[in-house]
Amino acid sequence: MKVEVGEEIPELVKHPTTRQLVQYAGAQGDFYEIHYDQAFAKSVALPGVILHGLLKAAFLGQLVTDWLGDRGTLKTFEVSYRGIDVPGRPYRCRGRVTRVDGGQVELEVWGEDPEGQRTTVGSAAVEIFSSPLRGAISKSDP
């Protein structure tokens, strides 16, 4: 499969809920009240509960790995948080290819709120295998 600079990767739209935030808090161990307690979140000048930054990073990681599939491997991934996202509103994950050097591919990734504001920005580097068998685990017969 040929990958070209400027190519956009298929977007991923997530629909986070407050319930998902509670589940994520339990799984990750981040019980800061701004992620599940509306009154507390508002008391610290937030519009209500907000998405965990690492949950938004996970959504963007899913964007990359869904696009990559089994034809390669994720090498590096990093994000920076630039805005607040809240449950009950779509979180749109997008990306594009910024560099191709053989099988080494760099991506720009970002998450947007419904108004199109980039609230999370980042980058990823992947290696795309030249052969579908490269990188595959094989078992030898005993």
Side-chain angles (χ1 to χ4, degrees):
M1 176 178 178
K2 186 166 172 74
V3 177
E4 297 183 4
V5 172
E7 174 184 335
E8 292 201 13
I9 63 179
E11 73 177 30
L12 172 68
V13 180
K14 302 299 271 189
H15 299 277
T17 64
T18 302
R19 178 185 178 102
Q20 183 180 26
L21 298 185
V22 172
Q23 291 170 319
Y24 185 79
Q28 192 213 16
D30 180 352
F31 294 102
Y32 188 25
E33 292 86 350
I34 62 172
H35 300 300
Y36 63 86
D37 184 326
Q38 293 287 357
F40 181 83
K42 289 179 180 178
S43 78
V44 294
L46 292 169
V49 296
I50 63 171
L51 274 60
H52 298 78
L54 287 175
L55 180 59
K56 297 191 304 182
F59 292 158
L60 288 170
Q62 180 186 354
L63 169 79
V64 173
T65 58
D66 282 358
W67 170 75
L68 186 59
D70 61 0
R71 63 191 172 136
T73 187
L74 177 64
K75 298 303 230 178
T76 65
F77 179 76
E78 63 181 49
V79 298
S80 176
Y81 310 114
R82 304 289 170 88
I84 293 172
D85 293 284
V86 299
R89 299 184 75 203
Y91 183 72
R92 185 174 176 202
C93 303
R94 301 185 65 202
R96 88 170 46 93
V97 175
T98 57
R99 183 171 179 269
V100 177
D101 182 9
Q104 308 302 310
V105 177
E106 293 178 9
L107 305 166
E108 169 189 25
V109 296
W110 64 93
E112 296 178 354
D113 64 18
E115 289 73 45
Q117 298 297 314
R118 292 184 181 191
T119 60
T120 309
V121 297
S123 62
V126 301
E127 179 181 0
I128 296 180
F129 304 135
S130 57
S131 160
L133 298 178
R134 182 168 173 226
I137 298 172
S138 63
K139 291 185 176 181
S140 55
D141 293 329

